[in-house]
Structure formats: structure tokens, C-alpha cells
Amino acid sequence: MNSTAQPNCLRYEDIKGGDSYSFTRIITAADIMSFAQLTGDHNPLHVDNAAAHQSPFGKNIAHGMLAGSLFSTLVGMHCPGRNALYLSQTLSFRSPIFPGDAITIKGTVREKNDSIRMITLKTEIINGDKVAVEGTAQVKVLDSGQEPQQADTQKNVHQIPRQRRIVLIVGGTGGIGSAIAVKCAEHEQDAIYVSYAQHEKKALELQKKWQNIVPMQCDLRSRESIKQMIESIVQREGKIDVLVNAAAASLKLQQFSQLKDEDIEEDIDVSLKGMLYACKYTMPHMTAGKSGIIINLISSIVFQDTPTARMSSYTIAKYGVLGLTKAVAHEAKAVGVKVVGIAPSFVDTDFIKNLPPKLLEFEKEKSPSKRLLQSEDIAKVIIKIIENPDAYAAGEVIKIESAAR
Amino acid sequence: MKKLNDILARVLEISNESITDETSPASVPSWDSFNGLMLVSELEREFNVHFTMEEVVAVKNVKDIKEALQRHGVKDE
């Protein structure tokens, strides 16, 4: 460590959205031992060669937090450097870092909040062709010469005051939608509206168990039906704070050439147009109150070079939802509404029950936890977004790749 | 390998008679990656074997499947 190194001294005005800052360093076995000494984390996975040999990684790996701590260096030395007041940092550990790996620590400016002179950085640690650690940093940029003081993050424009929250989950009886509904319903003062098409039984079960879940019958293939549902919620509650678009028509699992026209239309109508109109009709009620969050369920399939076979109409619809999320995010941001997407890999629900078992086995093997994503994993991410929308950039698509251990 | 041919015919929806060692994804339109993995799942169940991802990726035609099965101790009948 070189304690005489001079930090950068960027001013808030010097930092532009989209700018990125990075530095590279090699993680050594000595670094790992020092970190273990410093923190008292002597877990064998990090410090015991023989034990690590038996682990899924086959050798010692660096502490995730050792790598994560380099974001402090990024913020304190590179962007903004001397004027930094580090407010928050999220971390996801995606893949292992081994002694000897040369890693690049990178921060990209995602958002600037002029009123409180705060920047949001997407922070990543890149190891070879993989992202080993990723997260989001929030940093206040002090005036040069200004003494650090307690930051006021409460002024943030997207923050929904913690009063009764009105949540609408479109597709709220599906595997993922219902898990989200249940997780949201844990906040008893909130009202959780769930739309359903045919699954009335499931909707009523949810309502029976959770008094604050309200089922709404809605045909997503009909614009009128979507509009009526939203108007009736707003009539009753005066607002909608959060819209979660989680509906999808069932997978057809046919080659493109074999798909029936009606099947293609169902995917486009339910999975794309349904979401589109739910956004369109909900947004005016959010902009009136100048706050709101819209979360669209996309899929990791939009990031695959070769999307999984026999899912073409689903893939087309999800690309549409990706476009929708990106296209409206900035217009929405201007009126205080945060629009983001989430892109999970396969989630262990009935939705994927007809996929080849071997495909799901390989999917599990790829995951560090050796499990498929569970719908509860998705629900937790949704709650994180609702609780702290400012941690995410407008139009950001949050990838969810591996199940919680 | 009669059992193998039966599974190929059923999963790929082709006739038993049309199957040769050279039958491959290139010659059978229904043999896409989805059905390829369906095929592996069926073979594993039928012959009680387990293939790794490397083995699955390496298979280019029916002859390769036969050889992979033989490596796992499945006898050619």
C-alpha cells in the first residue's frame, strides 16, 4: 500500500454521466492473508490450501469483501477522489477471484443528482471476461474545501414517503408474481393489488391468507380491461405507487416454423402489449404525485447470443419489454417515476416445467449455489428496488443470475 | 441399438428407418438444441447414465451418441 499516493480531486461539475474510471491490481495470496488478519475472517476457503482444494472452487479464493473494499479505493482515490463522501455501496459476488488474478476495478457514472450533488456509480470488478463483483455506489461530491458533514439523502426525489403504499402486480397469480405479492404483503399497511386472468382460485387463496392482497380480474389482451382495472384502483386509493409487470403467457416450446399464429399473438398481446398498456395507463397517476416505481419483468434470454430454442415468441416479447423499459425510462424520470427492468435466468416455477430436465441441470451447474433461482429470490430483489429506487439508474436492467445460498 | 433408435424416433418425431449413424441436427430440422437436450434427458433415464456438459456438446451425430453410450458401459445390441 502506498500511503503517499495522491487522490484525484474531481469537482461535481467535472463528472459527467456515462464517464468511467478504473484501475487494475493483482490480488496476491499475501493480500488475502492480510485481509484475514485485519478482519479475523480466517475461513478455510480463503486461508487453508487443503480445505479449499475440497471446495467447489478447487483452490483458495479471495474474500469477496476484499475485492469489494477496492470500491473504496475507486471512490476515495479516483472518482471523485479527495471530495468524496461515500454514502452507500451494494455488492453482489458473481464469480471467484483467485490469488494471482489481475482484476480491473471500474466505476461508471449512472446518475447525477444535482440538488444534493450526489453521483451514483455502477461499480464492477472485472476478472478476465467475467464480472466478479458488481454493485452500486452512491457518493456525495463535496465542494473543494467543504468539510464532510452528515449527508442528507432523504431529500431524494424518487423516495416514496413511507406512508401507505399502493402496489399493483400485473400477473400476480403466477409463480413469480405471487411470490412478489406475498413479500410485499408482509408490509401490512400497504395494499397489494394482484391482477389475474384465469387463476381466480389462486387469487382468492392469496386474498384469504393476506388481508391486504386484493385480486383484480383483468384480461391483458384487452386495453379496456387494463384501463378499467387501473382506474378502479386509483378511484379507491387515489394513487398507485408501484407497478410490477410480471405477467407472461405460457411457453409454447415450438420451433418458430411450427408456432400457430394465435400462439404468437398471445405472447405479444399478454407479455408485451399487456405490460405496455399497464405502464401507459398507470404512469399518469404516478406523475400526478411525482413519484412512482415501475418494474418490468424481462428475462436473461435477452442477453443470450443464442436464445434458448423454442422460445421465439417469448423472446420477441421480452425484447419488446426491454425496449419499453429503456424507451420510457428517461421521460418517466423527468416526472419522478423510476422505470427499471429485472432479467432473471430460469426461475424454478411451473412456467418452466416442460423444459428439458437436462437444460435445467446445466443451468443449476452454472450457478454458484447449484440451485435454480427461486421466485422468492426475485421477490427479494423487487423489495430492494421498491425500498431504494435511487440505487438504480433509470432504465437499468438488473440481472439476477444465481439463487441465494 | 434398438432402444436408442426408438428414443430418437420418438423425441425427434422421425421414422426408425430413416435413422443412420450419420443422422444429425444438420439433417433433421426437429433436432434443435431443445430436442437435443430432451434426447439427453431421455437417454439418461433409459440407460441410467449421466453425461457431462462437455460430452453433450461434443455429440455431432448418432454415431457419437452410440460411442458416448458405449463409454458409459451401455452394450451395443
Side-chain angles (χ1 to χ4, degrees), chain A residues 253 255 307-310 354-359 361-363 365-366, chain B residues 29-35 37-38 40-41 44 50-53 56:
Chain A
L253 303 182
Q255 290 185 325
T308 309
R310 303 197 175 209
N354 293 325
L355 290 177
K358 197 71 185 171
L359 175 65
E361 184 193 311
F362 285 158
E363 196 64 26
E365 274 177 28
K366 275 195 281 178
Chain B
S30 60
W31 190 342
D32 56 10
S33 60
F34 182 94
N35 262 353
L37 289 170
M38 227 26 149
V40 178
S41 302
E44 288 187 341
H50 184 264
F51 295 108
T52 64
M53 196 178 303
V56 171

Side-chain angles (χ1 to χ4, degrees), chain A residues 215-233:
Chain A
M216 303 289 282
Q217 218 270 333
C218 179
D219 176 6
L220 293 174
R221 308 177 72 155
S222 150
R223 288 200 299 265
E224 268 316 300
S225 179
I226 299 170
K227 195 181 256 173
Q228 272 175 19
M229 168 176 68
I230 288 163
E231 296 300 330
S232 88
I233 296 171

Side-chain angles (χ1 to χ4, degrees), chain A residues 3 60 63 72 76 100 143 171 174 195 216 326 337 342 344 362 366:
Chain A
S3 60
N60 289 125
H63 302 75
S72 182
D143 288 330
S195 90
M216 303 289 282
K326 298 277 181 198
V337 177
I342 58 167
F362 285 158
K366 275 195 281 178

Side-chain angles (χ1 to χ4, degrees), chain A residues 246-290:
Chain A
S250 58
L251 290 172
K252 311 299 181 286
L253 303 182
Q254 293 288 335
Q255 290 185 325
F256 185 61
S257 55
Q258 305 298 315
L259 275 172
K260 291 192 220 120
D261 294 351
E262 305 85 271
D263 287 342
I264 297 174
E265 273 168 35
E266 185 188 50
D267 273 335
I268 302 301
D269 286 349
V270 174
S271 310
L272 173 56
K273 284 164 76 181
M275 284 202 193
L276 189 157
Y277 286 111
C279 282
K280 184 149 193 338
Y281 299 145
T282 306
M283 263 174 66
H285 302 292
M286 292 179 160
T287 58
K290 288 227 174 262

Side-chain angles (χ1 to χ4, degrees), chain B residues 61-76:
Chain B
N61 55 29
V62 169
K63 185 161 171 273
D64 291 344
I65 299 180
K66 284 184 184 169
E67 286 173 5
L69 285 170
Q70 277 158 11
R71 274 200 306 279
H72 284 271
V74 177
K75 300 250 168 18
D76 197 352

